[in-house]
Amino acid sequence: MNITDFLKTMFFVNPAQSGLQRQADEPDLPPIGEMMARLLPLSEEDWTLYAFSREPLRGRFTREQRLNMAEASRDCAQESFDALCREHGQAGPNALAKALGVEIKRLARSGGGSHVLFAQYAPPAAVTIFTDCLERAQTSLRECGELVPCTADFIEDVLLAHELFHHVEHLSDTIYTKSHREELWELGPIKNRSPVACLSEIAGMHFAKLLADPPFYPYMLDVLLAYGYSHTAAARLYCSILEAVQL
């Protein structure tokens, strides 16, 4: 799995791997409310373990190394957020996008391919929100009731906030999530150093939490939005999260 393949697993789902397609509900699958109730109490450390469970280089890091890199990534997101607040004030996602010159596009669905995307950043300064997932999310939110007290419009804000962090990354060559490298091997004077793909996503989720202030950790959208397409896909993602945090 290369970095591009990895990034396609965050905030959007591979149907071939996750069963993401229209199909009859399976009676033994947990309802979305039950899954959200189980995921809501998870800590940042838990979500770090989930993020690294999808990292191509995950086998090279100890638990302590994963947690340390994730903390540095969240610190990076916090520093970026604080700097933007100093420059633009306490702007919401849409106002901040305007201030940064980021164009917001809204399309019903992503164009073909084997992946259903929820949102996407395209350099140098454009974010596309795919509204089909938001329309489907309204049913899921009704099933959750007061457990997830937000609207589809608010979920759009969270998706936008996440993608805005990737714009911040694009503008900097020294930001931690881009500049950090791990040494894979050394042969004399030759060293192979690789980025750690999930650090960008960890920081993006934390940035979305800071900017949009959702009543849940943004990683939960992996399950909530997938549920609108396939209960099976959402349940598989849910089980992978519980497995990653050993619940």
Side-chain angles (χ1 to χ4, degrees), residues 90-237:
Q90 295 287 342
N94 281 277
L96 181 59
K98 183 177 181 179
L100 295 175
V102 175
E103 180 185 6
I104 303 173
K105 303 177 182 180
R106 292 175 177 83
L107 297 177
R109 299 180 185 179
S110 54
S114 62
H115 291 77
V116 175
L117 280 69
F118 303 154
Q120 184 178 45
Y121 173 67
V127 170
T128 301
I129 304 293
F130 298 102
T131 58
D132 181 58
C133 70
L134 301 174
E135 294 172 4
R136 292 168 181 265
Q138 295 183 64
T139 299
S140 302
L141 290 170
R142 284 194 294 270
E143 290 185 36
C144 290
E146 296 182 359
L147 187 65
V148 184
C150 66
T151 64
D153 287 342
F154 184 78
I155 290 178
E156 179 177 335
D157 284 349
V158 179
L159 295 175
L160 174 58
H162 177 94
E163 300 305 326
L164 286 177
F165 178 76
H166 294 314
H167 178 65
V168 172
E169 280 185 310
H170 173 70
L171 298 177
S172 173
D173 291 329
T174 59
I175 192 168
Y176 174 80
T177 51
K178 280 175 64 176
S179 63
H180 181 75
R181 296 288 188 274
E182 287 290 326
E183 187 172 308
L184 301 184
W185 52 261
E186 180 179 359
L187 182 61
I190 303 173
K191 296 181 180 181
N192 182 1
R193 297 174 64 83
S194 172
V196 181
C198 73
L199 300 185
S200 176
E201 293 305 304
I202 290 170
M205 296 297 185
H206 191 67
F207 188 86
K209 179 68 174 171
L210 294 169
L211 180 57
D213 193 25
F216 49 82
Y217 208 78
Y219 269 118
M220 289 178 60
L221 291 182
D222 282 7
V223 175
L224 182 68
L225 294 182
Y227 192 81
Y229 293 88
S230 165
H231 295 190
T232 302
R236 289 179 180 176
L237 283 169

